[in-house]
Amino acid sequence: MTGVHLTWPAHLTAELAEQSHALIGAVTALGGAIGWLSPPSRAETDEWLAGVLASIAAGDAAMCAAWLDSRLVAMGLWRREEVSYFRHMAELIKIMVHPQARGGRLGGRVTQALIASAADAGIETLHLGVRGSNHLAIQLYEEAGFAEWGRLPDVIEVGDERFDDVRMYLRLSRPAHLVLRGSGPSGPGSSPRKPRQPGS
């Protein structure tokens, strides 16, 4: 889509708050799986946005916003994990495109920009969750290099309906000095399997 430019919001502005609320409302009104089951109030989106900007200020997140003229048409973010031993990981969340701007591959453009941003920030692994019924989003993430590592069947609740929670990851760069032990029974906290007893 021509005429679209990307920005990286770091401070709260009236325009960002208003446009974010409008975009979130438009996406959720059509059932978009971005964390709200129905269009949230302005107070709710303002609170969410304030939390995101606080994480950005702390160096723990980045938001990519796509603008067409003066209208916010797509956005998304990555947020670093809070637990100390997962700080090298971040979750890709809230990837959304305005219904009137779909078809221009804006979701892919925002996703690729966020991947590059996370890599620059030293993130080693990006992960995400996507509703199993959203095959277009799964395809978008696969094209960006993400791979499925598992799924929880029928755990996402939407009223009386249940959907799979598909979990995906993308490995970014890692320092060369790391020792990658994987699932082997070695290193701190490891233990070997006990031999199976006869007749058990």
Side-chain angles (χ1 to χ4, degrees):
M1 182 177 291
T2 60
V4 173
H5 67 282
L6 303 182
T7 65
W8 297 88
H11 304 287
L12 181 63
T13 66
E15 180 184 35
L16 179 63
E18 179 181 350
Q19 292 285 333
S20 296
H21 176 68
L23 174 57
I24 291 169
V27 172
T28 53
L30 291 181
I34 56 171
W36 294 274
L37 293 180
S38 60
S41 67
R42 175 63 185 271
E44 289 176 294
T45 57
D46 281 357
E47 181 180 6
W48 169 79
L49 184 59
V52 169
L53 293 172
S55 294
I56 292 172
D60 291 336
M63 172 186 282
C64 182
W67 300 82
L68 180 60
D69 299 323
S70 59
R71 188 164 67 106
L72 182 63
V73 291
M75 68 177 177
L77 62 141
W78 61 259
R79 179 175 268 162
R80 192 186 301 270
E81 295 294 331
E82 295 181 358
V83 178
S84 60
Y85 44 82
F86 286 134
R87 295 282 290 167
H88 59 286
M89 295 175 56
E91 185 176 14
L92 198 67
I93 55 175
K94 299 289 191 291
I95 307 295
M96 65 186 85
V97 177
H98 196 285
Q100 296 177 358
R102 290 176 181 168
R105 300 192 66 82
L106 289 178
R109 186 171 171 185
V110 168
T111 298
Q112 291 289 355
L114 288 166
I115 291 171
S117 168
D120 288 343
I123 298 298
E124 296 178 22
T125 302
L126 276 173
H127 66 99
L128 59 86
V130 59
R131 191 181 296 178
S133 60
N134 195 346
H135 291 222
L136 186 61
I138 293 172
Q139 180 181 356
L140 182 154
Y141 296 131
E142 288 174 340
E143 291 173 353
F146 282 83
E148 180 179 334
W149 62 264
R151 63 176 62 201
L152 290 171
D154 297 318
V155 297
I156 298 176
E157 176 184 333
V158 182
D160 290 335
E161 298 180 277
R162 302 292 184 271
F163 299 89
D164 289 356
D165 181 12
V166 179
R167 309 302 300 182
M168 307 182 76
Y169 79 100
L170 174 65
R171 186 79 72 196
L172 303 178
S173 62
R174 293 185 292 203
H177 67 271
L178 296 181
V179 178
L180 305 179
R181 296 190 183 275
S183 298
S186 63
S190 63
S191 61
R193 285 179 174 269
K194 288 184 178 181
R196 188 179 296 275
Q197 298 297 321
S200 62

